[in-house]
Amino acid sequence: MASREVIQYETPLSRAFRWFSAVFLAFYVVWTVLPLFIMFMSSFKDLLEAFKLPAVGDWAGVTVFFEFTPTTKHYYELFARLGFTTYLFNSLVAAGGSAVVSVILGSMCAYSLSRIDFKGKGDLFFWIISTRMAPVVAVMVPLYWIFRQLDLVGTLPGLILAYTTFNLPFAIWILKGFFDNVPYAIEEAQMIDGATRFQALRAILPLVAPGIGAFVVLCILFAWNDYLFAAIIGSGGAKTLPAATRELVQPQNIQWGQIMAAGVVTTLPMMFLGLVIRKYLVTGLTMGAVKE
Amino acid sequence: MAKVSFRNVWKKYGDMPAVKDLNIECPDGSFLSVLGPSGCGKSSTMRMVAGLEHITSGQILFDERPINGLAPKDRDVAMVFENYALYPHKSVYENMANPLKLRGQDASVIKERVTAAAKLLEINHLLERRPQELSGGQKQRVAIGRAIVREPNLFLFDEPIAHLDAKLRAHMRGEIKHLQRTLGTTMIYVTHDQLEAMSMADTIAVMHDGELQQLGTPREVYNHPVNAWVAGFVGEPAMNFVDVGVEDRAGRAHFIHQNFAVPVTEEQQRRLSDGSRGSALRMGVRPDALSISMTKPSDSCITGKIFVTELLGGDMIVDVDLDDCRIRVKTSTEFSGEEGQTCYMTVNTNKWHAFSKENGKAFF
Ligand SMILES: Nc1ncnc2c1ncn2[C@@H]1O[C@H](COP(=O)(O)OP(=O)(O)OP(=O)(O)O)[C@@H](O)[C@H]1O
Ligand SMILES: [Mg+2]
């Protein structure tokens, strides 16, 4: 194989561009990391300490930001008094459940669309994609009505179903590409080796595993971070973390400390998930793209 | 092991026929080679036997049992794919073990068989590798290994060595033929290389445009091609074709051309139908059925002018211009003619052929 190195030669323009990108990236890192950092710190501060801010332009005063006695009382409040254990559990079940359901149905559907030719296949595929084109708010009211009729409002299965409705077309679309990349000859070889049609499909799953993995993450992220469905379909019995956090904003007082702590509780699992699967995702995605 | 029969087998993709009315009997334990140029329907034929394509019409039978409706796994065939189709995420060992695993063999049996096959194919040092880490020749041997670890009804090899270099190909020809003889399993071997078919097969089925042209032993196909197309496809260098007229001279039919008039043998005279007199025929003669010299040996020789000479190791090929065509002659390296000189060729009339100009059918 030829070297993958991208050959570049230095020109004044490229040097200027490099400087520019370095500065840009520095700003970008601050822009994205700072809020998280402040959230994390504030969640361990008492309310008064949290609002101790230096005056504008007083750079030396930044140190007041770090002057506080750490407290875990906000976390204690969340879990002991406000029932965040349940909300965390609801979030996990809703996100995980819809990811699992979408991935199972989605891979079967994507596989069929990838392997079997039938009349109207193009139209069907377009229709599946097009269900994602309407904005969520536009379908919310009819969806709510349907769920109401089915007694699904305020239940975890209802929430899982709602997320699946939106994740499934996406799953089919992503996974079809991954199945398309696996040569059919591999399944043929399996069948000659003595596999049934279904065993042959199972045998190529490791080859699309990176795609499935990538999709599961996207799916979980969608459901985990969602507020709209959680607030409307999940309201009451199936409250998830974002919906519960929103309720900490009360007309008389805003529980900043608890909101920050809830933010950390919501963010940490996803960060952790990202770290765990990062390597797998990066190596995996390239492997799926290589044809035999 | 099984006898394989094709009865009026057709394969159509949409309206386009890829295999037309195929009839072949392949006896148990024999080596059948399906030979033809690219796109003639060889792989389609193979895939119908394996169960990877529907049979449009007709029947394929194993031991007189129709298999049209059987799933691939129930046909119990082992196939080497044109593109190898190895499992990219599995090691060589797992690739070769797969058919045994799927058939529920014990781990110890699997190990024994895979090791034995790997040894036979000289890939036992590669068992831990993945297909991406193998050369083309090694991949091909893994693909063959995956086919031979079990004892199927039938082997199907689809141009398994087409992508190898000439030397390795020659080596593998011998290996595969030996393997088939040792195992005694019926083999259908697809190739577009006539040399492979000639050197390995018991029976050759020559195909062209989806139609079976000739079914016969390598000797029959080479010595008695049924039509001009087969004659031209089989043999290297290819057969020379010259359009000739037929005339009776002194009671014997002669092939008449601007550059020569050569009488046919008695046997050949009988085979030429009476209608052929006066009409045009296509004479076919292989380069090695001609002998060339710089002096005129007799009256019934062909006169031409040397166009070019090519030295091919132990042989020499001389291209000779006749008035209206060019023919090639195989001779020894001692031949000393120069380009542009006039030369004389004598035909071994026991080894020449005559084809109808209309439909290409062979008279002899
Ligand atoms: N899936 C298909 N759909 C439509 N036409 C096909 C299909 N597969 C093969 N064909 C056509 O059928 C004919 C025979 O194809 P086949 O693959 O059997 O040829 P082949 O003899 O194996 O050629 P090669 O030596 O190049 O492998 C070709 O004209 C090809 O274009
Ligand atoms: Mg082919």
Side-chain angles (χ1 to χ4, degrees):
Chain A
M1 201 196 324
S3 136
R4 289 258 188 96
E5 201 180 348
V6 177
I7 310 265
Q8 279 181 327
Y9 299 98
E10 197 86 340
T11 63
L13 189 66
S14 75
R15 207 166 306 142
F17 185 76
R18 228 180 30 223
W19 270 103
F20 173 75
S21 5
V23 171
F24 177 81
L25 286 176
F27 266 113
Y28 186 74
V29 168
V30 172
W31 175 266
T32 49
V33 174
L34 196 59
L36 288 176
F37 181 69
I38 292 176
M39 175 179 82
F40 186 76
M41 297 298 273
S42 306
S43 74
F44 291 103
K45 289 180 186 176
D46 196 61
L47 190 62
L48 288 176
E49 287 170 336
F51 281 96
K52 257 198 289 176
L53 293 175
V56 175
D58 176 16
W59 287 102
V62 167
T63 48
V64 303
F65 186 74
F66 298 98
E67 287 163 9
F68 65 99
T69 28
T71 166
T72 54
K73 70 171 182 185
H74 301 306
Y75 292 94
Y76 179 78
E77 285 277 292
L78 284 187
F79 287 100
R81 208 170 54 80
L82 295 169
F84 262 60
T85 323
T86 320
Y87 307 146
L88 182 62
F89 173 80
N90 285 349
S91 266
L92 284 174
V93 171
S98 94
V100 169
V101 174
S102 310
V103 94
I104 291 175
L105 295 180
S107 43
M108 293 198 291
C109 196
Y111 178 81
S112 315
L113 281 170
S114 166
R115 291 296 191 246
I116 304 168
D117 267 320
F118 52 88
K119 220 172 141 193
K121 177 166 135 174
D123 299 328
L124 179 67
F125 190 54
F126 181 74
W127 176 71
I128 290 172
I129 295 297
S130 70
T131 59
R132 273 306 291 266
M133 289 177 185
V136 176
V137 282
V139 295
M140 209 49 184
V141 173
L143 208 58
Y144 180 79
W145 186 82
I146 295 171
F147 275 51
R148 180 94 272 173
Q149 302 306 308
L150 298 172
D151 258 344
L152 285 171
V153 173
T155 64
L156 272 177
L159 203 51
I160 291 176
L161 185 62
Y163 289 143
T164 305
T165 313
F166 277 80
N167 278 328
L168 193 57
F170 197 31
I172 295 170
W173 186 57
I174 289 194
L175 293 177
K176 179 176 179 291
F178 276 89
F179 280 115
D180 284 345
N181 262 338
V182 177
Y184 184 52
I186 293 180
E187 282 154 82
E188 293 184 332
Q190 283 282 356
M191 287 191 280
I192 298 282
D193 280 356
T196 60
R197 194 72 186 67
F198 189 71
Q199 283 174 319
L201 158 62
R202 241 183 25 203
I204 63 159
L205 284 184
L207 290 171
V208 290
I212 292 180
F215 168 70
V216 165
V217 173
L218 291 173
C219 199
I220 289 180
L221 283 179
F222 172 77
W224 186 268
N225 294 335
D226 166 75
Y227 174 71
L228 196 56
F229 283 102
I232 297 174
I233 306 272
S235 64
K239 212 186 286 172
T240 61
L241 287 176
T245 308
R246 176 68 180 74
E247 285 177 6
L248 295 173
V249 183
Q250 290 147 0
Q252 316 84 333
N253 65 335
I254 299 174
Q255 300 291 341
W256 283 115
Q258 287 165 14
I259 290 176
M260 291 300 154
V264 172
V265 170
T266 314
T267 317
L268 270 187
M270 288 304 110
M271 282 186 153
F272 186 67
L273 178 69
L275 281 182
V276 169
I277 58 163
R278 196 186 82 102
K279 198 171 149 214
Y280 168 72
L281 273 187
V282 173
T283 53
L285 280 171
T286 49
M287 178 180 146
V290 175
K291 274 209 172 178
E292 251 226 272
Chain B
M1 273 170 260
K3 178 179 106 166
V4 183
S5 321
F6 296 79
R7 305 260 163 86
N8 308 98
V9 172
W10 285 77
K11 176 70 205 175
K12 287 184 185 163
Y13 296 105
D15 282 337
M16 215 258 328
V19 176
K20 303 173 193 162
D21 199 24
L22 194 62
N23 283 287
I24 298 177
E25 294 281 321
C26 177
D28 189 5
S30 75
F31 192 129
L32 171 76
S33 179
V34 179
L35 173 66
S38 187
C40 73
K42 306 181 298 288
S43 296
S44 304
T45 306
M46 197 72 133
R47 292 167 57 82
M48 282 192 285
V49 179
L52 302 174
E53 297 285 351
H54 283 298
I55 300 165
T56 309
S57 71
Q59 277 191 327
I60 297 176
L61 307 99
F62 290 177
D63 288 330
E64 303 301 332
R65 196 166 52 95
I67 48 115
N68 291 35
L70 290 186
K73 75 181 180 70
D74 302 320
R75 300 191 184 193
D76 196 19
V77 301
M79 180 159 174
V80 178
F81 286 77
E82 208 167 353
N83 54 4
Y84 314 138
L86 298 177
Y87 311 128
H89 54 301
K90 292 186 173 180
S91 70
V92 167
Y93 180 89
E94 289 167 325
N95 263 279
M96 288 170 65
N98 195 53
L100 298 171
K101 229 181 243 165
L102 279 168
R103 286 182 160 74
Q105 297 276 8
D106 289 340
S108 60
V109 179
I110 294 180
K111 181 146 202 217
E112 188 185 314
R113 296 268 194 90
V114 172
T115 318
K119 206 166 200 170
L120 187 73
L121 295 162
E122 294 171 23
I123 47 174
N124 35 8
H125 57 293
L126 305 173
L127 289 176
E128 298 310 317
R129 295 215 200 154
R130 297 268 168 124
Q132 303 93 288
E133 299 159 354
L134 300 179
S135 76
Q138 291 166 336
K139 278 187 199 162
Q140 175 253 312
R141 278 179 285 169
V142 176
I144 295 177
R146 189 172 61 184
I148 64 171
V149 286
R150 59 199 186 87
E151 283 149 18
N153 273 329
L154 175 67
F155 283 131
L156 298 171
F157 281 26
D158 193 350
E159 310 205 18
I161 59 179
H163 304 300
L164 306 189
D165 66 63
K167 198 170 159 206
L168 192 52
R169 212 155 55 213
H171 173 71
M172 288 310 298
R173 280 205 302 269
E175 293 286 317
I176 294 173
K177 182 168 181 175
H178 179 75
L179 194 75
Q180 193 270 338
R181 292 281 186 276
T182 335
L183 300 174
T185 308
T186 317
M187 160 92 86
I188 301 184
Y189 186 101
V190 162
T191 177
H192 63 253
D193 181 352
Q194 53 92 28
L195 181 65
E196 258 171 46
M198 297 297 283
S199 58
M200 297 164 79
D202 297 319
T203 316
I204 299 182
V206 189
M207 285 182 72
H208 177 44
D209 262 353
E211 272 176 87
L212 179 66
Q213 305 288 316
Q214 185 168 6
L215 185 67
T217 63
R219 241 176 260 277
E220 281 165 1
V221 171
Y222 186 82
N223 293 331
H224 305 290
V226 294
N227 61 33
W229 191 87
V230 174
F233 191 71
V234 174
E236 174 66 37
M239 184 181 278
N240 299 299
F241 292 103
V242 182
D243 289 344
V244 295
V246 188
E247 266 175 37
D248 276 336
R249 290 186 183 170
R252 176 63 57 91
H254 281 59
F255 285 168
I256 308 294
H257 182 263
Q258 284 120 295
N259 301 82
F260 60 88
V262 186
V264 303
T265 65
E266 221 169 301
E267 162 72 15
Q268 288 163 353
Q269 171 139 346
R270 243 176 287 128
R271 298 230 193 153
L272 281 175
S273 61
D274 292 330
S276 67
R277 300 299 188 281
S279 74
L281 277 186
R282 178 161 277 191
M283 176 194 95
V285 57
R286 294 197 185 278
D288 54 5
L290 287 164
S291 53
I292 187 167
S293 70
M294 301 307 290
T295 53
K296 193 168 186 174
S298 71
D299 279 342
S300 62
C301 68
I302 306 172
T303 314
K305 201 187 253 173
I306 298 178
F307 175 68
V308 77
T309 62
E310 299 162 41
L311 192 62
L312 296 181
D315 295 317
M316 185 181 264
I317 304 292
V318 187
D319 288 31
V320 182
D321 272 338
L322 301 190
D323 284 354
D324 60 347
C325 60
R326 182 172 296 157
I327 62 175
R328 311 186 86 195
V329 182
K330 192 165 168 180
T331 183
S332 73
T333 50
E334 275 93 66
F335 179 71
S336 59
E338 297 281 326
E339 287 160 25
Q341 289 179 328
T342 301
C343 63
Y344 305 93
M345 286 151 295
T346 319
V347 186
N348 177 349
T349 51
N350 287 317
K351 286 192 172 177
W352 68 354
H353 304 270
F355 306 99
S356 153
K357 252 193 109 171
E358 279 131 44
N359 56 19
K361 286 240 165 59
F363 291 102
F364 53 82

